[in-house]
Amino acid sequence: MIADRPNGRPLKDSDFELVTRDIRAPEAGEVVLRTHWLGFDPAQKGWMENVGGYVAATNIGDVMPGSGIGSVIASEHPKFAVGDIVSGRFGWQEFPTAAGDELERISDPEMATARLGVLGTTGMTAYFGLLRVGKPQAGDTVVVSGAAGATGSVVGQIAKIAGCRVVGIAGGAEKCR
């Protein structure tokens, strides 16, 4: 659970609290999952600080939000059977009970963890942000202000593929290397 807000400072272990609760049985339209992998994105710190305004505000005591990959261990949703591998935003929980309509079945379990990286939020943000919003044309110069970060590094690669000149900005010589 979220135990403190890391506003203006690095994360500390005490920003989180490990809580044990009973697994909630699924109601109609829900499934119970066993989490196998969690996504850890830089944006999650901002979510804890309630900055950005593009995700729901968090409260002290909330489950830490985030993406995950898990297997269905109980289902009351017609789309999912026990054993299905799914992805979704079910937070940092070992056995979440989640709305089935908010999950996506993974057809190739060998590629499951890619959905937590370049084929997940990071890659989708880079792809749609650059190509649908930025709409670069071959020959344009694209400046990436967070070029050493997860999303920024993907933006730079997509811009290069699109035939653009890329200028990356990063926080120091080591990151620029």
Side-chain angles (χ1 to χ4, degrees):
M1 300 175 101
I2 298 172
D4 200 2
R5 299 215 183 276
N7 295 38
R9 63 168 172 78
L11 289 170
K12 300 185 299 190
D13 289 349
S14 60
D15 292 329
F16 304 97
E17 180 182 352
L18 179 62
V19 175
T20 301
R21 293 190 178 136
D22 291 337
I23 299 170
R24 185 172 66 78
E27 297 177 4
E30 294 182 323
V31 299
V32 176
L33 305 169
R34 182 177 195 290
T35 301
H36 298 293
W37 298 283
L38 292 173
F40 295 94
D41 298 304
Q44 289 172 290
K45 183 176 183 286
W47 300 346
M48 292 175 72
E49 297 169 331
N50 287 329
V51 297
Y54 62 95
V55 295
T58 60
N59 295 300
I60 301 298
D62 284 355
V63 170
M64 180 63 206
S67 299
I69 307 292
S71 56
V72 176
I73 61 171
S75 179
E76 290 296 329
H77 193 286
K79 182 175 156 186
F80 298 104
V82 171
D84 285 348
I85 305 296
V86 300
S87 65
R89 297 179 72 57
F90 41 82
W92 293 6
Q93 302 178 78
E94 189 173 3
F95 295 99
T97 301
D101 291 341
E102 297 175 7
L103 302 173
E104 185 176 345
R105 181 183 294 109
I106 297 174
S107 58
D108 183 359
E110 296 292 319
M111 294 294 294
T113 57
R115 290 178 183 244
L116 299 177
V118 74
L119 298 180
T121 303
T122 295
M124 295 299 160
T125 301
Y127 181 87
F128 291 109
L130 180 65
L131 298 181
R132 295 262 174 98
V133 177
K135 300 180 182 177
Q137 303 295 311
D140 285 352
T141 297
V142 174
V143 178
V144 183
S145 63
T151 302
S153 63
V154 176
V155 167
Q157 293 175 62
I158 294 170
K160 290 292 272 187
I161 291 167
C164 299
R165 174 178 175 260
V166 178
V167 176
I169 301 170
E174 185 177 333
K175 286 187 177 183
C176 287
R177 268 193 298 284

